[in-house]
Amino acid sequence: MSFSLALVGRPNVGKSTLFNRLVGRRLALVDDQPGVTRDLREGEAKLGGMRFTVIDTAGLEEATDESLQGRMRRLTERAVDMADICLFMIDARVGVTPADEVFAEILRKRAKHVILAANKGEGAAADAGVLEAWNLGLGEPLRLSAEHGEGMGDLLAELLPLADKYEARAAQDAPETEVDVSDEDDPEEAFRMPTLAKPMQVAVVGRPNAGKSTLINKILGEDRLLTGPEAGITRDAISLTIDWEGLPCRIWDTAGMRKKAKVQDKLEKLSVSDGLRAVKFAEVVVVLLDAAIPFEQQDLRIADLAEREGRAVVIAVNKWDIEDAKQEKLRDLKEAFERLLPQLKGAPLVTVSAKTGRGLDRLRAAIETAYRTWNARVSTAQLNRWLEGMVAAHPPPAPQGKRIKLRYMTQAKTRPPGFVVMCSHPDKMPDSYSRYLVNGLREAFEMPGTPIRLWMRGQGDRNPYKGRREKNAGALKKHLNKKK
């Protein structure tokens, strides 16, 4: 990325709509009510042939105290300080407001470079607002319509010379690269952790006010996400790419998930849907519980969802710093975990404090272990030796006097591990015997907690050679008859 562009302005001027257009996807939540965006969201933008980082920000508020609006404003001001260019957006239909004038003055003092845009500029109703924008003293306003894509060529023309400047500066500042001539490999390290071609996708999920944003801020080492005592602050599923002590991660902060019956507001429904989407695209899901009220019904539903989606799961219990009887509490937590979530038996359970940072090293190790197990692969020879032992110890049932024969087993996939057993009468195999095999796989091949998929197949299922002899014989006979 050659430069970063922050979209700033009052609430409801169309920043998130423009953000979605620039990244080419509907990443940011958009609604008619103001103040939907609260956190900073980054995306890879493409405009013409130019690529850059675009930052969607919360609407600039006039509050400067410790209220939610005041904290949102400070986060936006931080984005202004970080960004190379600020695109200051006003609503052309409304015209310039006193708040716009205040924020224009702030940008003149803090921003490195400011571009003024009069959004919602389609039609004659916006003419007056575009003219008013000249009074802000930030140069000629770009007339845009983020919703309809109008004015994108003008924005490109404004950004191109700035992009050239930043690219030239980046090339000048780039350090000389050194070639690594070492040919020593560590086979044990390669076995412990699969090579990551891209950052590991980690989603942090849980009920409102469990401390998800605070936890991610502590991992980052900076207040990058909006936090506070109010429940439900996070609305968008925000992703951040970091290097967590040598482990490249893309961590998703998600909105708190309440019971479905309690979610009536349209915006909250959008927020929850955004969080569910993050779970489906994650590789490891961290289910964050509140130590004071762990394993509520909603916690169980969230953990079960992650398992059904086939994600690697880590259970993290937050606010451990305020617990007194820690040993007794931990014993109760482990007992409740095994009893209430048997489908995740053996999954990592770690205690953390998002406030103090205690336990983050254990959480990182648990995430790495869960990811490694999720990618586990077992050779066919090992599986069939193991299967013989399992059948000898506990033969499958004989429905209607016909014994089910397990003939062959192989691993069909990873992420999560999936296995196929070739057998007779697969439709008559009881679930209890399948669970017996799954539990045996977990124990024998050290795959605790990860979802395991097991499919029973009959000998005729997907057999590419079935009927081939008869078919070939028929074709030969037909060919000989033609020659006669």
Side-chain angles (χ1 to χ4, degrees), residues 45-67:
K46 183 178 180 181
L47 187 59
M50 181 172 57
R51 295 180 180 273
F52 54 95
T53 299
V54 61
I55 307 170
D56 188 20
T57 68
L60 279 164
E61 303 275 0
E62 294 191 71
T64 57
D65 55 12
E66 288 301 317
S67 65

Side-chain angles (χ1 to χ4, degrees), residues 12-24:
N12 215 30
V13 296
K15 299 183 295 297
S16 295
T17 303
L18 180 58
F19 176 89
N20 286 340
R21 179 167 292 279
L22 290 173
V23 299

Side-chain angles (χ1 to χ4, degrees), residues 196 288 420:
L196 296 177
L288 194 64
V420 174

Side-chain angles (χ1 to χ4, degrees), residues 121-157:
E122 66 277 11
D127 291 347
V130 175
L131 289 173
E132 270 188 64
W134 282 94
N135 297 330
L136 292 172
L138 294 173
E140 180 179 358
L142 295 177
R143 186 166 184 156
L144 302 180
S145 173
E147 185 175 358
H148 301 288
E150 296 177 11
M152 293 298 109
D154 294 335
L155 178 59
L156 176 62

Side-chain angles (χ1 to χ4, degrees), residues 197-254:
K198 61 179 184 178
M200 184 192 303
Q201 310 290 307
V202 180
V204 181
V205 299
R207 288 182 289 111
N209 219 25
K212 299 179 291 296
S213 300
T214 305
L215 175 69
I216 295 175
N217 279 342
K218 185 60 70 172
I219 293 171
L220 292 170
E222 57 178 322
D223 292 336
R224 176 66 173 72
L225 298 168
L226 191 64
T227 62
E230 305 91 344
I233 289 179
T234 301
R235 284 176 170 167
D236 293 76
I238 304 295
S239 68
L240 301 164
T241 302
I242 63 167
D243 186 292
W244 188 0
E245 297 180 5
L247 183 66
C249 292
R250 187 183 186 192
I251 299 186
W252 293 84
D253 182 26
T254 62

Side-chain angles (χ1 to χ4, degrees), residues 202-379:
V202 180
V204 181
V205 299
R207 288 182 289 111
N209 219 25
K212 299 179 291 296
S213 300
T214 305
L215 175 69
I216 295 175
N217 279 342
K218 185 60 70 172
I219 293 171
L220 292 170
E222 57 178 322
D223 292 336
R224 176 66 173 72
L225 298 168
L226 191 64
T227 62
E230 305 91 344
I233 289 179
T234 301
R235 284 176 170 167
D236 293 76
I238 304 295
S239 68
L240 301 164
T241 302
I242 63 167
D243 186 292
W244 188 0
E245 297 180 5
L247 183 66
C249 292
R250 187 183 186 192
I251 299 186
W252 293 84
D253 182 26
T254 62
M257 300 180 187
R258 298 195 298 159
K259 292 181 181 178
K260 190 174 181 180
K262 292 185 177 181
V263 180
Q264 302 296 331
D265 180 67
K266 173 191 172 185
L267 186 55
E268 187 175 358
K269 288 181 181 178
L270 291 172
S271 299
V272 172
S273 297
D274 211 26
L276 295 176
R277 201 158 44 244
V279 170
K280 292 178 181 179
F281 286 102
E283 295 168 324
V284 181
V285 174
V286 177
V287 181
L288 194 64
L289 312 181
D290 188 329
I293 43 173
F295 295 114
E296 294 277 289
Q297 280 297 317
Q298 188 63 358
D299 295 325
L300 302 180
R301 290 190 184 96
I302 293 168
D304 183 63
L305 167 70
E307 193 277 336
R308 283 188 282 110
E309 290 292 336
R311 307 301 96 184
V313 178
V314 173
I315 305 295
V317 184
N318 190 26
K319 306 180 184 180
W320 198 244
D321 53 304
I322 58 176
E323 283 295 325
D324 295 324
K326 288 183 170 57
Q327 292 300 322
E328 183 180 346
K329 182 78 172 183
L330 184 58
R331 185 176 63 249
D332 292 343
L333 284 171
K334 290 180 177 178
E335 184 277 327
F337 181 28
E338 292 183 8
R339 175 170 48 85
L340 297 172
L341 291 168
Q343 68 273 37
L344 290 172
K345 183 179 179 181
L349 185 148
V350 296
T351 57
V352 298
S353 170
K355 183 178 179 181
T356 66
R358 292 289 296 274
L360 291 189
D361 54 341
R362 294 193 301 272
L363 178 60
R364 180 195 174 283
I367 290 172
E368 190 171 351
T369 299
Y371 181 81
R372 182 190 67 226
T373 306
W374 192 60
N375 282 273
R377 181 169 287 281
V378 185
S379 72

